[in-house]
Amino acid sequence: MVEVTVTPRSSLADQAVQVVVCGLAPSQLVTLRAWLMDEHGERFQARAFYRSDEAGTVDAGRHAALGGNYTGVWPMGLFWFLHPDSLFKRLVKRDVMGSPFLVHVEVFDGLCLVSGQQDEPLATCTAERWYVSPGVQRVPIREGRVRGALLLPPGPGPFPAVIDLFGGAGGLMEFRAGLLASRGFAVLALAFFAYEDLPKALTQLDLEYFEEAAELLLRHPKVSAVMRASPAITAVPVPPPTPSSLPLQVRGPGLGVIGVSKGAEVALAMAAFLPQVVATVWINGTSFLYGNPLLYKGLRIPSIPYETERIRFTELGAMDNSAIFTDPRSPACSASAIPVEKIQGKVLFVVGEADRSFNSKLFAQLAMARLPQDSYRLLSYPGAGHLIEPPGSPLCSISSLRGNPLPVVWGGEPQPHARAQEHSWQEIVQFLELHLSHAPAVKL
């Protein structure tokens, strides 16, 4: 009797599972296939070809895939290399609370290149991939101008606080916030345009909106705000000093911010101007204002216009925007630089070196050149693209984007991108743990 198992059957989307097939003949060639349907009815699938060992077993954690969507030993390959049946689709969990992704794992005899109704699997099982752990609470936020969702870990708290920002797609995304809440953080997934009664398009960055969100989060009774000392505590990876060694002067309660793309640009601006921000995770963003000026208490930082005439089209008809960003090293761009030298907290820069949206490594380097050496850390990944997400997310190298007439190229190569997501996620969680509380990092 052939049996395929996923252990554990129910898990968080960023957790590793074990995929094992037993009951095969020795050296039997089989196809392992995983598939799921997203909330819009789009199917994502991955397959790989294996030969069983002398005991008639295939263990994805020990045995190498011979072909398919990946080769070599990839314990999570069937999950990390999922791809859509239709072009330009991105796998995003929208309803993080109500249901998991159901991943169906099947094993077929021989080489199964395309699965049809005539193909009967030797064995099947279904795994649940959740974006919140049991007990996580979701609280819709509509207070003042602030719109979003607060994800709270189970228990009375208090919990370290994080604001979670995404980019040019607008709207509200909660999957990363749900996973962070499952690791013990109180996370405000914050929308800033194209959501409810917020502006439909992003025309300017009103930093007072983000300041209002930070103050709202810090007022929550389940939030534990770290008291940031001056000077700031020791940088990663050195453990923080003991309370007795901290200077007496404090600058008030603090929180963390994590952002990708336009959200990373916002996160860096928040760190520069808002004393509440003590830990910033910047993922493939800019360190200059592009497209939208920044306004804050009478201050206006002008933006650098996009050179849209330099858009290029790929063979698949997607937009490559990598050339529309004016070189920030030009003297004409200096007035649009985010004043990162004002940052008093810590910054973790996460860079995909195969980012096709823009040269994110250059922007990180320009920012770091103006920061004290003990205030930042850089994680730079060759082969990784723009959308570096938690490890439950397969590579999205091209996708449709709200407001764009054509799909957008994000870049990245599947295997190095998958490794970058796995490594960076652990580093991000540990960075936030270190600088937002004195508790040990949560093991992933």
Side-chain angles (χ1 to χ4, degrees), residues 114-160:
V114 180
S115 302
Q117 292 184 349
Q118 73 281 3
D119 296 304
E120 283 291 329
L122 300 174
T124 67
C125 73
T126 301
E128 296 181 349
R129 301 289 279 173
W130 287 90
Y131 284 81
V132 292
S133 60
V136 168
Q137 179 186 9
R138 180 187 185 273
V139 182
I141 298 297
R142 279 184 63 93
E143 185 172 331
R145 294 187 298 162
V146 180
R147 302 290 180 265
L150 179 60
L151 284 295
L152 293 168
F159 307 107

mmCIF file of all heavy atoms in Angstrom, residues 114-160:
data_model
loop_
_atom_site.group_PDB
_atom_site.id
_atom_site.type_symbol
_atom_site.label_atom_id
_atom_site.label_comp_id
_atom_site.label_asym_id
_atom_site.label_seq_id
_atom_site.Cartn_x
_atom_site.Cartn_y
_atom_site.Cartn_z
ATOM 1 N N VAL A 114 2.002 15.912 -17.292
ATOM 2 C CA VAL A 114 0.761 16.674 -17.224
ATOM 3 C C VAL A 114 -0.298 15.771 -16.614
ATOM 4 O O VAL A 114 -0.509 14.650 -17.087
ATOM 5 C CB VAL A 114 0.301 17.155 -18.617
ATOM 6 C CG1 VAL A 114 -1.002 17.941 -18.511
ATOM 7 C CG2 VAL A 114 1.382 18.016 -19.263
ATOM 8 N N SER A 115 -0.956 16.230 -15.579
ATOM 9 C CA SER A 115 -1.967 15.420 -14.907
ATOM 10 C C SER A 115 -3.311 15.605 -15.579
ATOM 11 O O SER A 115 -3.791 16.729 -15.749
ATOM 12 C CB SER A 115 -2.072 15.817 -13.432
ATOM 13 O OG SER A 115 -0.823 15.653 -12.797
ATOM 14 N N GLY A 116 -3.932 14.498 -15.977
ATOM 15 C CA GLY A 116 -5.262 14.532 -16.566
ATOM 16 C C GLY A 116 -6.217 13.663 -15.769
ATOM 17 O O GLY A 116 -5.827 13.002 -14.801
ATOM 18 N N GLN A 117 -7.469 13.649 -16.199
ATOM 19 C CA GLN A 117 -8.466 12.869 -15.481
ATOM 20 C C GLN A 117 -8.159 11.378 -15.521
ATOM 21 O O GLN A 117 -8.590 10.627 -14.645
ATOM 22 C CB GLN A 117 -9.850 13.144 -16.069
ATOM 23 C CG GLN A 117 -10.351 14.562 -15.810
ATOM 24 C CD GLN A 117 -11.755 14.769 -16.329
ATOM 25 O OE1 GLN A 117 -12.290 13.931 -17.056
ATOM 26 N NE2 GLN A 117 -12.365 15.884 -15.970
ATOM 27 N N GLN A 118 -7.413 10.960 -16.528
ATOM 28 C CA GLN A 118 -7.104 9.546 -16.655
ATOM 29 C C GLN A 118 -5.991 9.107 -15.706
ATOM 30 O O GLN A 118 -5.757 7.912 -15.524
ATOM 31 C CB GLN A 118 -6.698 9.205 -18.103
ATOM 32 C CG GLN A 118 -5.300 9.702 -18.500
ATOM 33 C CD GLN A 118 -5.256 11.184 -18.848
ATOM 34 O OE1 GLN A 118 -6.280 11.865 -18.746
ATOM 35 N NE2 GLN A 118 -4.103 11.684 -19.247
ATOM 36 N N ASP A 119 -5.301 10.058 -15.101
ATOM 37 C CA ASP A 119 -4.172 9.727 -14.224
ATOM 38 C C ASP A 119 -4.663 9.552 -12.795
ATOM 39 O O ASP A 119 -5.121 10.505 -12.156
ATOM 40 C CB ASP A 119 -3.113 10.835 -14.270
ATOM 41 C CG ASP A 119 -2.499 10.984 -15.648
ATOM 42 O OD1 ASP A 119 -1.984 9.985 -16.168
ATOM 43 O OD2 ASP A 119 -2.556 12.102 -16.205
ATOM 44 N N GLU A 120 -4.567 8.340 -12.282
ATOM 45 C CA GLU A 120 -4.956 8.047 -10.915
ATOM 46 C C GLU A 120 -3.724 8.050 -10.026
ATOM 47 O O GLU A 120 -2.785 7.288 -10.271
ATOM 48 C CB GLU A 120 -5.658 6.696 -10.824
ATOM 49 C CG GLU A 120 -7.094 6.703 -11.302
ATOM 50 C CD GLU A 120 -8.013 7.489 -10.371
ATOM 51 O OE1 GLU A 120 -7.725 7.514 -9.148
ATOM 52 O OE2 GLU A 120 -8.972 8.090 -10.870
ATOM 53 N N PRO A 121 -3.687 8.895 -8.996
ATOM 54 C CA PRO A 121 -2.521 8.879 -8.106
ATOM 55 C C PRO A 121 -2.456 7.589 -7.301
ATOM 56 O O PRO A 121 -3.485 6.975 -6.988
ATOM 57 C CB PRO A 121 -2.757 10.099 -7.204
ATOM 58 C CG PRO A 121 -4.225 10.341 -7.244
ATOM 59 C CD PRO A 121 -4.682 9.903 -8.598
ATOM 60 N N LEU A 122 -1.248 7.186 -6.988
ATOM 61 C CA LEU A 122 -1.048 6.029 -6.112
ATOM 62 C C LEU A 122 -1.466 6.338 -4.685
ATOM 63 O O LEU A 122 -1.915 5.457 -3.951
ATOM 64 C CB LEU A 122 0.428 5.599 -6.130
ATOM 65 C CG LEU A 122 1.012 5.193 -7.480
ATOM 66 C CD1 LEU A 122 2.517 4.942 -7.347
ATOM 67 C CD2 LEU A 122 0.300 3.957 -8.014
ATOM 68 N N ALA A 123 -1.307 7.602 -4.287
ATOM 69 C CA ALA A 123 -1.677 8.015 -2.935
ATOM 70 C C ALA A 123 -1.810 9.529 -2.909
ATOM 71 O O ALA A 123 -1.195 10.237 -3.721
ATOM 72 C CB ALA A 123 -0.641 7.558 -1.914
ATOM 73 N N THR A 124 -2.622 10.023 -1.992
ATOM 74 C CA THR A 124 -2.806 11.462 -1.828
ATOM 75 C C THR A 124 -2.909 11.808 -0.350
ATOM 76 O O THR A 124 -3.237 10.952 0.481
ATOM 77 C CB THR A 124 -4.096 11.954 -2.520
ATOM 78 O OG1 THR A 124 -5.228 11.404 -1.843
ATOM 79 C CG2 THR A 124 -4.129 11.571 -3.977
ATOM 80 N N CYS A 125 -2.636 13.062 -0.022
ATOM 81 C CA CYS A 125 -2.934 13.608 1.299
ATOM 82 C C CYS A 125 -3.091 15.119 1.159
ATOM 83 O O CYS A 125 -2.720 15.698 0.127
ATOM 84 C CB CYS A 125 -1.867 13.252 2.336
ATOM 85 S SG CYS A 125 -0.315 14.127 2.145
ATOM 86 N N THR A 126 -3.642 15.746 2.178
ATOM 87 C CA THR A 126 -3.874 17.184 2.153
ATOM 88 C C THR A 126 -3.252 17.820 3.384
ATOM 89 O O THR A 126 -3.445 17.341 4.507
ATOM 90 C CB THR A 126 -5.379 17.502 2.120
ATOM 91 O OG1 THR A 126 -5.956 16.894 0.960
ATOM 92 C CG2 THR A 126 -5.612 19.005 2.061
ATOM 93 N N ALA A 127 -2.493 18.895 3.170
ATOM 94 C CA ALA A 127 -1.850 19.622 4.264
ATOM 95 C C ALA A 127 -2.490 20.994 4.393
ATOM 96 O O ALA A 127 -2.839 21.631 3.390
ATOM 97 C CB ALA A 127 -0.348 19.772 4.006
ATOM 98 N N GLU A 128 -2.656 21.454 5.628
ATOM 99 C CA GLU A 128 -3.174 22.787 5.907
ATOM 100 C C GLU A 128 -2.009 23.725 6.179
ATOM 101 O O GLU A 128 -1.154 23.425 7.010
ATOM 102 C CB GLU A 128 -4.100 22.765 7.126
ATOM 103 C CG GLU A 128 -5.352 21.946 6.945
ATOM 104 C CD GLU A 128 -6.224 21.985 8.189
ATOM 105 O OE1 GLU A 128 -5.757 22.474 9.252
ATOM 106 O OE2 GLU A 128 -7.379 21.525 8.111
ATOM 107 N N ARG A 129 -2.017 24.873 5.482
ATOM 108 C CA ARG A 129 -0.967 25.882 5.675
ATOM 109 C C ARG A 129 -1.644 27.171 6.136
ATOM 110 O O ARG A 129 -2.279 27.880 5.353
ATOM 111 C CB ARG A 129 -0.188 26.092 4.383
ATOM 112 C CG ARG A 129 0.490 24.839 3.862
ATOM 113 C CD ARG A 129 1.664 24.438 4.735
ATOM 114 N NE ARG A 129 2.852 25.215 4.402
ATOM 115 C CZ ARG A 129 3.986 25.174 5.085
ATOM 116 N NH1 ARG A 129 4.078 24.444 6.182
ATOM 117 N NH2 ARG A 129 5.019 25.900 4.700
ATOM 118 N N TRP A 130 -1.509 27.466 7.423
ATOM 119 C CA TRP A 130 -2.169 28.606 8.047
ATOM 120 C C TRP A 130 -1.255 29.831 8.085
ATOM 121 O O TRP A 130 -0.025 29.705 8.129
ATOM 122 C CB TRP A 130 -2.578 28.252 9.472
ATOM 123 C CG TRP A 130 -3.729 27.309 9.566
ATOM 124 C CD1 TRP A 130 -3.684 25.934 9.604
ATOM 125 C CD2 TRP A 130 -5.117 27.654 9.624
ATOM 126 N NE1 TRP A 130 -4.947 25.415 9.683
ATOM 127 C CE2 TRP A 130 -5.856 26.443 9.704
ATOM 128 C CE3 TRP A 130 -5.801 28.871 9.616
ATOM 129 C CZ2 TRP A 130 -7.236 26.417 9.782
ATOM 130 C CZ3 TRP A 130 -7.188 28.845 9.693
ATOM 131 C CH2 TRP A 130 -7.898 27.634 9.771
ATOM 132 N N TYR A 131 -1.880 31.003 8.136
ATOM 133 C CA TYR A 131 -1.136 32.261 8.279
ATOM 134 C C TYR A 131 -1.322 32.887 9.649
ATOM 135 O O TYR A 131 -0.780 33.956 9.914
ATOM 136 C CB TYR A 131 -1.517 33.231 7.161
ATOM 137 C CG TYR A 131 -0.867 32.837 5.856
ATOM 138 C CD1 TYR A 131 -1.425 31.838 5.062
ATOM 139 C CD2 TYR A 131 0.329 33.412 5.444
ATOM 140 C CE1 TYR A 131 -0.819 31.439 3.886
ATOM 141 C CE2 TYR A 131 0.940 33.027 4.267
ATOM 142 C CZ TYR A 131 0.362 32.035 3.483
ATOM 143 O OH TYR A 131 0.974 31.639 2.331
ATOM 144 N N VAL A 132 -2.069 32.225 10.511
ATOM 145 C CA VAL A 132 -2.148 32.607 11.922
ATOM 146 C C VAL A 132 -2.145 31.337 12.749
ATOM 147 O O VAL A 132 -2.688 30.310 12.329
ATOM 148 C CB VAL A 132 -3.415 33.435 12.252
ATOM 149 C CG1 VAL A 132 -3.365 34.798 11.593
ATOM 150 C CG2 VAL A 132 -4.684 32.688 11.860
ATOM 151 N N SER A 133 -1.541 31.411 13.923
ATOM 152 C CA SER A 133 -1.578 30.287 14.847
ATOM 153 C C SER A 133 -2.875 30.331 15.643
ATOM 154 O O SER A 133 -3.548 31.374 15.689
ATOM 155 C CB SER A 133 -0.366 30.328 15.779
ATOM 156 O OG SER A 133 -0.374 31.529 16.530
ATOM 157 N N PRO A 134 -3.259 29.236 16.288
ATOM 158 C CA PRO A 134 -4.490 29.236 17.090
ATOM 159 C C PRO A 134 -4.447 30.331 18.155
ATOM 160 O O PRO A 134 -3.441 30.534 18.823
ATOM 161 C CB PRO A 134 -4.495 27.841 17.724
ATOM 162 C CG PRO A 134 -3.706 26.992 16.783
ATOM 163 C CD PRO A 134 -2.629 27.896 16.250
ATOM 164 N N GLY A 135 -5.554 31.032 18.281
ATOM 165 C CA GLY A 135 -5.661 32.062 19.308
ATOM 166 C C GLY A 135 -5.314 33.461 18.863
ATOM 167 O O GLY A 135 -5.562 34.429 19.595
ATOM 168 N N VAL A 136 -4.709 33.624 17.667
ATOM 169 C CA VAL A 136 -4.420 34.975 17.168
ATOM 170 C C VAL A 136 -5.741 35.703 16.923
ATOM 171 O O VAL A 136 -6.688 35.146 16.361
ATOM 172 C CB VAL A 136 -3.568 34.930 15.881
ATOM 173 C CG1 VAL A 136 -3.527 36.296 15.200
ATOM 174 C CG2 VAL A 136 -2.151 34.471 16.206
ATOM 175 N N GLN A 137 -5.803 36.945 17.333
ATOM 176 C CA GLN A 137 -7.013 37.754 17.215
ATOM 177 C C GLN A 137 -6.808 38.839 16.175
ATOM 178 O O GLN A 137 -5.746 39.465 16.106
ATOM 179 C CB GLN A 137 -7.345 38.385 18.572
ATOM 180 C CG GLN A 137 -8.578 39.282 18.574
ATOM 181 C CD GLN A 137 -8.784 39.989 19.893
ATOM 182 O OE1 GLN A 137 -7.913 39.933 20.769
ATOM 183 N NE2 GLN A 137 -9.912 40.667 20.048
ATOM 184 N N ARG A 138 -7.842 39.080 15.357
ATOM 185 C CA ARG A 138 -7.802 40.155 14.362
ATOM 186 C C ARG A 138 -8.800 41.241 14.760
ATOM 187 O O ARG A 138 -9.979 40.965 14.983
ATOM 188 C CB ARG A 138 -8.142 39.638 12.972
ATOM 189 C CG ARG A 138 -8.118 40.716 11.893
ATOM 190 C CD ARG A 138 -8.623 40.167 10.561
ATOM 191 N NE ARG A 138 -8.485 41.153 9.492
ATOM 192 C CZ ARG A 138 -9.383 42.076 9.188
ATOM 193 N NH1 ARG A 138 -10.503 42.170 9.898
ATOM 194 N NH2 ARG A 138 -9.177 42.908 8.177
ATOM 195 N N VAL A 139 -8.317 42.483 14.826
ATOM 196 C CA VAL A 139 -9.155 43.620 15.189
ATOM 197 C C VAL A 139 -9.133 44.621 14.034
ATOM 198 O O VAL A 139 -8.078 45.216 13.753
ATOM 199 C CB VAL A 139 -8.656 44.305 16.482
ATOM 200 C CG1 VAL A 139 -9.573 45.467 16.857
ATOM 201 C CG2 VAL A 139 -8.552 43.299 17.621
ATOM 202 N N PRO A 140 -10.253 44.827 13.330
ATOM 203 C CA PRO A 140 -10.272 45.855 12.274
ATOM 204 C C PRO A 140 -10.005 47.233 12.886
ATOM 205 O O PRO A 140 -10.502 47.550 13.968
ATOM 206 C CB PRO A 140 -11.692 45.766 11.709
ATOM 207 C CG PRO A 140 -12.201 44.429 12.145
ATOM 208 C CD PRO A 140 -11.539 44.129 13.452
ATOM 209 N N ILE A 141 -9.218 48.049 12.184
ATOM 210 C CA ILE A 141 -8.855 49.383 12.674
ATOM 211 C C ILE A 141 -9.489 50.435 11.777
ATOM 212 O O ILE A 141 -9.204 50.509 10.580
ATOM 213 C CB ILE A 141 -7.321 49.559 12.728
ATOM 214 C CG1 ILE A 141 -6.690 48.555 13.700
ATOM 215 C CG2 ILE A 141 -6.966 50.994 13.113
ATOM 216 C CD1 ILE A 141 -7.130 48.711 15.141
ATOM 217 N N ARG A 142 -10.351 51.241 12.377
ATOM 218 C CA ARG A 142 -10.930 52.430 11.735
ATOM 219 C C ARG A 142 -10.999 53.502 12.809
ATOM 220 O O ARG A 142 -12.061 53.776 13.358
ATOM 221 C CB ARG A 142 -12.329 52.131 11.200
ATOM 222 C CG ARG A 142 -12.369 51.429 9.862
ATOM 223 C CD ARG A 142 -13.807 51.279 9.383
ATOM 224 N NE ARG A 142 -14.419 52.580 9.154
ATOM 225 C CZ ARG A 142 -14.444 53.208 7.995
ATOM 226 N NH1 ARG A 142 -13.861 52.669 6.940
ATOM 227 N NH2 ARG A 142 -15.030 54.383 7.872
ATOM 228 N N GLU A 143 -9.886 54.078 13.125
ATOM 229 C CA GLU A 143 -9.805 55.070 14.197
ATOM 230 C C GLU A 143 -9.120 56.316 13.661
ATOM 231 O O GLU A 143 -7.983 56.247 13.171
ATOM 232 C CB GLU A 143 -9.040 54.512 15.396
ATOM 233 C CG GLU A 143 -9.027 55.460 16.592
ATOM 234 C CD GLU A 143 -8.443 54.816 17.832
ATOM 235 O OE1 GLU A 143 -8.547 53.585 17.985
ATOM 236 O OE2 GLU A 143 -7.857 55.561 18.643
ATOM 237 N N GLY A 144 -9.785 57.468 13.771
ATOM 238 C CA GLY A 144 -9.244 58.668 13.145
ATOM 239 C C GLY A 144 -9.121 58.433 11.659
ATOM 240 O O GLY A 144 -10.058 57.969 10.997
ATOM 241 N N ARG A 145 -7.952 58.711 11.126
ATOM 242 C CA ARG A 145 -7.718 58.458 9.696
ATOM 243 C C ARG A 145 -7.165 57.067 9.438
ATOM 244 O O ARG A 145 -7.060 56.646 8.279
ATOM 245 C CB ARG A 145 -6.723 59.484 9.151
ATOM 246 C CG ARG A 145 -7.236 60.913 9.151
ATOM 247 C CD ARG A 145 -6.238 61.820 8.438
ATOM 248 N NE ARG A 145 -4.936 61.846 9.101
ATOM 249 C CZ ARG A 145 -3.800 62.261 8.533
ATOM 250 N NH1 ARG A 145 -3.813 62.662 7.272
ATOM 251 N NH2 ARG A 145 -2.671 62.282 9.210
ATOM 252 N N VAL A 146 -6.774 56.355 10.485
ATOM 253 C CA VAL A 146 -6.006 55.113 10.321
ATOM 254 C C VAL A 146 -6.922 53.962 9.908
ATOM 255 O O VAL A 146 -7.966 53.730 10.512
ATOM 256 C CB VAL A 146 -5.258 54.764 11.618
ATOM 257 C CG1 VAL A 146 -4.472 53.465 11.441
ATOM 258 C CG2 VAL A 146 -4.330 55.905 12.014
ATOM 259 N N ARG A 147 -6.487 53.225 8.889
ATOM 260 C CA ARG A 147 -7.219 52.070 8.394
ATOM 261 C C ARG A 147 -6.271 50.874 8.300
ATOM 262 O O ARG A 147 -5.157 50.985 7.796
ATOM 263 C CB ARG A 147 -7.809 52.354 7.006
ATOM 264 C CG ARG A 147 -8.740 53.560 6.955
ATOM 265 C CD ARG A 147 -10.044 53.293 7.688
ATOM 266 N NE ARG A 147 -10.952 54.438 7.638
ATOM 267 C CZ ARG A 147 -11.039 55.370 8.597
ATOM 268 N NH1 ARG A 147 -10.243 55.294 9.669
ATOM 269 N NH2 ARG A 147 -11.890 56.361 8.492
ATOM 270 N N GLY A 148 -6.742 49.748 8.773
ATOM 271 C CA GLY A 148 -5.921 48.549 8.703
ATOM 272 C C GLY A 148 -6.503 47.450 9.559
ATOM 273 O O GLY A 148 -7.714 47.405 9.821
ATOM 274 N N ALA A 149 -5.653 46.549 10.013
ATOM 275 C CA ALA A 149 -6.065 45.445 10.870
ATOM 276 C C ALA A 149 -4.959 45.174 11.875
ATOM 277 O O ALA A 149 -3.774 45.131 11.513
ATOM 278 C CB ALA A 149 -6.360 44.196 10.042
ATOM 279 N N LEU A 150 -5.349 44.988 13.129
ATOM 280 C CA LEU A 150 -4.401 44.681 14.195
ATOM 281 C C LEU A 150 -4.464 43.190 14.474
ATOM 282 O O LEU A 150 -5.524 42.647 14.788
ATOM 283 C CB LEU A 150 -4.742 45.483 15.449
ATOM 284 C CG LEU A 150 -3.857 45.251 16.679
ATOM 285 C CD1 LEU A 150 -2.408 45.600 16.381
ATOM 286 C CD2 LEU A 150 -4.377 46.066 17.861
ATOM 287 N N LEU A 151 -3.333 42.502 14.338
ATOM 288 C CA LEU A 151 -3.220 41.079 14.616
ATOM 289 C C LEU A 151 -2.515 40.908 15.953
ATOM 290 O O LEU A 151 -1.372 41.347 16.133
ATOM 291 C CB LEU A 151 -2.441 40.363 13.507
ATOM 292 C CG LEU A 151 -3.139 40.083 12.165
ATOM 293 C CD1 LEU A 151 -4.291 39.105 12.356
ATOM 294 C CD2 LEU A 151 -3.587 41.325 11.453
ATOM 295 N N LEU A 152 -3.211 40.267 16.912
ATOM 296 C CA LEU A 152 -2.703 40.140 18.273
ATOM 297 C C LEU A 152 -2.452 38.675 18.625
ATOM 298 O O LEU A 152 -3.311 37.815 18.373
ATOM 299 C CB LEU A 152 -3.703 40.722 19.269
ATOM 300 C CG LEU A 152 -3.918 42.234 19.209
ATOM 301 C CD1 LEU A 152 -5.133 42.622 20.047
ATOM 302 C CD2 LEU A 152 -2.672 42.963 19.709
ATOM 303 N N PRO A 153 -1.301 38.366 19.225
ATOM 304 C CA PRO A 153 -1.053 36.991 19.670
ATOM 305 C C PRO A 153 -2.032 36.592 20.768
ATOM 306 O O PRO A 153 -2.640 37.445 21.414
ATOM 307 C CB PRO A 153 0.383 37.048 20.210
ATOM 308 C CG PRO A 153 0.968 38.312 19.673
ATOM 309 C CD PRO A 153 -0.178 39.259 19.508
ATOM 310 N N PRO A 154 -2.187 35.303 21.004
ATOM 311 C CA PRO A 154 -3.034 34.875 22.114
ATOM 312 C C PRO A 154 -2.412 35.254 23.456
ATOM 313 O O PRO A 154 -1.192 35.389 23.565
ATOM 314 C CB PRO A 154 -3.106 33.353 21.946
ATOM 315 C CG PRO A 154 -1.900 32.995 21.140
ATOM 316 C CD PRO A 154 -1.627 34.168 20.257
ATOM 317 N N GLY A 155 -3.260 35.446 24.443
ATOM 318 C CA GLY A 155 -2.767 35.766 25.773
ATOM 319 C C GLY A 155 -2.956 37.214 26.126
ATOM 320 O O GLY A 155 -3.344 38.041 25.297
ATOM 321 N N PRO A 156 -2.676 37.565 27.381
ATOM 322 C CA PRO A 156 -2.929 38.925 27.863
ATOM 323 C C PRO A 156 -1.909 39.948 27.419
ATOM 324 O O PRO A 156 -2.150 41.149 27.515
ATOM 325 C CB PRO A 156 -2.894 38.754 29.386
ATOM 326 C CG PRO A 156 -1.976 37.585 29.614
ATOM 327 C CD PRO A 156 -2.213 36.661 28.464
ATOM 328 N N GLY A 157 -0.751 39.506 26.935
ATOM 329 C CA GLY A 157 0.305 40.458 26.584
ATOM 330 C C GLY A 157 1.008 40.950 27.828
ATOM 331 O O GLY A 157 0.895 40.337 28.887
ATOM 332 N N PRO A 158 1.698 42.093 27.741
ATOM 333 C CA PRO A 158 1.839 42.923 26.535
ATOM 334 C C PRO A 158 2.837 42.342 25.540
ATOM 335 O O PRO A 158 3.691 41.538 25.905
ATOM 336 C CB PRO A 158 2.329 44.262 27.095
ATOM 337 C CG PRO A 158 3.067 43.897 28.337
ATOM 338 C CD PRO A 158 2.360 42.700 28.918
ATOM 339 N N PHE A 159 2.710 42.766 24.281
ATOM 340 C CA PHE A 159 3.519 42.239 23.187
ATOM 341 C C PHE A 159 4.293 43.359 22.504
ATOM 342 O O PHE A 159 3.816 44.491 22.433
ATOM 343 C CB PHE A 159 2.613 41.561 22.152
ATOM 344 C CG PHE A 159 1.696 40.532 22.715
ATOM 345 C CD1 PHE A 159 0.337 40.790 22.826
ATOM 346 C CD2 PHE A 159 2.169 39.308 23.142
ATOM 347 C CE1 PHE A 159 -0.532 39.853 23.349
ATOM 348 C CE2 PHE A 159 1.313 38.351 23.673
ATOM 349 C CZ PHE A 159 -0.037 38.619 23.788
ATOM 350 N N PRO A 160 5.489 43.060 21.968
ATOM 351 C CA PRO A 160 6.215 44.065 21.176
ATOM 352 C C PRO A 160 5.430 44.415 19.920
ATOM 353 O O PRO A 160 4.751 43.573 19.331
ATOM 354 C CB PRO A 160 7.542 43.365 20.838
ATOM 355 C CG PRO A 160 7.277 41.909 21.012
ATOM 356 C CD PRO A 160 6.232 41.790 22.072
#
